[in-house]
Amino acid sequence: KTSPRMREVMTSLTKHLHDFAREIELTVDEWTEGVALLNWAGQMSDDRRNEGQLVCDVVGLETLVDEITYKKASEATDLATQSAILGPFFQTDHKIRKKDESVVEKLPDDAEVAYVYGQVVDATTKKPVANASIDIWEASTNGLYEQQDEEQPKSNLCGKFYTDENGEYGLYCLRPTPYPIPYDGPAGKLLQLLDRHPYRPAHIHFIVLAEGYKPITTQIFDKTSKYLDDDSVFAVKDSLVVEFLPRDGDEKAKKQLNYNIHMAPL
Ligand code: DHB
Ligand code: FE
C-alpha cells in the first residue's frame, strides 16, 4: 500500500542521498563499504539487539527525530516533561508490578538501591493523573539490560507500574551507572572511525501513558554521572538531569529520588 507521506519522505531521502554522493564525490569502493555496513547491521540484529537503531543513534538521528516529534507535539504546551530517545532496549511485555515494588530481581554487589517516587500530573492544571502506566527499564552495573545478559533473571530491572488515585507512583531500582553501548558491531566501528567513545551517562528509561494525554518516552540522568556532556547517542537534556539524595530510615534503599512527571493533555 502506498502512503502519500512515505512517498514524500522517500523522494526527499533519495534527493539528499544523491546530493550527498555528488558533493563528497563518493566512489564505488566507498559506497560498497557503506552497503557492507548496512548488511552487517542487518545480520547482527535480532530480538536482543537492534543494530540499525544503534547505528542511527551514534550519528544523532534518533535524537534529532525525537526533537522534531516533541516540538510538533508540544505546540499546545511546553510545560510537559521533555522526551528523550527510546533506545534499542525497550521490551513491550514488562511485568506489571505493584506500587513500591522493586524491579531488582538480582542485586549486584557493587550496586546502590534507590527509591524513586513522585506524582504524575496534568502539565497545565497540575491535577494528579490516576491510573497512568509507567514503564521503566535500566541496565545493571555490568552495563547490560536483562535481555542482553544470560545471568540476569527474566524481568530484572524493568517493570510496568500504575499511579494510584492521587497520581502517585513509587518503586525501588538500581541507582543507574554509566556504560558503553554495544560497540562490537557497525555502530562501534562508526564510533571508532570518528574517534569517539561508546559511553552513555547513567540513566533510567521511562514510558508514561495515560488516557487523554500525549504519551511520554523519556530518560532521566544522574547529575553526578560522567558523560553527561558527551553522551555517545546525544540524548541528554538539562531538564532531565536529576539528583539522587540520601534516604534515611529505609533498609531497602540508601538513595532516593523524587520525580514528578508532567503530561500534556491531548
Ligand atoms: C542506546 C540507548 C540506550 O538507552 C542504551 O542503553 C544503549 C544504547 C542507543 O540509543 O543506541
Ligand atoms: Fe539505555
Side-chain angles (χ1 to χ4, degrees), residues 238-250:
D238 288 347
S239 72
L240 299 175
V241 176
V242 299
E243 187 172 8
F244 287 84
L245 297 172
R247 180 170 177 82
D248 299 323
D250 183 349

Side-chain angles (χ1 to χ4, degrees), residues 12-258:
S12 170
L13 175 62
T14 306
K15 173 177 165 289
H16 283 89
L17 280 173
H18 285 217
D19 286 348
F20 148 74
R22 262 191 295 271
E23 184 188 308
I24 200 77
E25 299 187 319
L26 197 69
T27 65
V28 170
D29 285 349
E30 289 158 354
W31 166 76
T32 304
E33 269 193 56
V35 170
L37 194 107
L38 275 182
N39 287 340
W40 185 18
Q43 285 154 7
M44 276 206 117
S45 295
D46 57 24
D47 289 353
R48 294 166 185 216
R49 182 149 178 171
N50 188 335
E51 192 70 23
Q53 193 164 345
L54 273 175
V55 168
C56 290
D57 291 351
V58 299
V59 298
L61 187 61
E62 190 181 358
T63 287
L64 178 58
V65 296
D66 165 59
E67 258 163 38
I68 294 166
T69 309
Y70 180 81
K71 212 177 273 168
K72 272 193 190 170
S74 63
E75 272 155 14
T77 173
D78 58 0
L79 300 171
T81 297
Q82 276 197 293
S83 59
I85 63 174
L86 178 68
F89 299 117
F90 170 58
Q91 303 190 85
T92 53
D93 58 346
H94 286 155
K95 181 169 164 181
I96 294 174
R97 300 183 186 273
K98 294 212 161 38
K99 186 157 180 280
D100 294 344
E101 209 180 298
S102 178
V103 298
V104 184
E105 308 272 358
K106 182 181 173 189
L107 181 63
D109 293 337
D110 56 350
E112 250 185 329
V113 176
Y115 180 62
V116 178
Y117 66 103
Q119 216 183 11
V120 177
V121 299
D122 184 305
T124 50
T125 64
K126 306 300 171 198
K127 289 214 177 92
V129 178
N131 206 35
S133 69
I134 303 178
D135 276 277
I136 85 141
W137 65 106
E138 65 176 351
S140 191
T141 49
N142 64 0
L144 297 174
Y145 286 83
E146 174 252 292
Q147 69 268 42
Q148 297 175 282
D149 187 358
E150 305 275 291
E151 305 293 310
Q152 290 182 45
K154 176 101 189 93
S155 300
N156 192 39
L157 306 181
C158 57
K160 192 184 193 88
F161 294 82
Y162 286 88
T163 56
D164 65 14
E165 62 279 10
N166 301 316
E168 286 172 2
Y169 76 95
L171 59 98
Y172 291 88
C173 62
L174 298 186
R175 182 182 188 177
T177 39
Y179 61 83
I181 65 168
Y183 58 94
D184 56 342
K189 189 161 176 181
L190 270 177
L191 286 170
Q192 245 178 32
L193 188 74
L194 301 168
D195 253 330
R196 284 170 43 203
H197 69 72
Y199 284 86
R200 295 217 58 210
H203 64 278
I204 302 174
H205 295 265
F206 282 82
I207 292 180
V208 188
L209 306 172
E211 228 178 283
Y213 293 93
K214 289 178 185 145
I216 299 177
T217 298
T218 197
Q219 306 181 19
I220 52 175
F221 300 91
D222 185 333
K223 186 183 163 181
T224 65
S225 177
K226 272 184 90 167
Y227 311 113
L228 285 175
D229 293 329
D230 58 347
D231 181 357
S232 57
V233 299
F234 310 101
V236 181
K237 295 175 183 172
D238 288 347
S239 72
L240 299 175
V241 176
V242 299
E243 187 172 8
F244 287 84
L245 297 172
R247 180 170 177 82
D248 299 323
D250 183 349
E251 60 184 23
K252 287 189 281 186
K254 292 274 178 294
K255 287 285 188 300
Q256 66 180 18
L257 170 67
N258 181 215

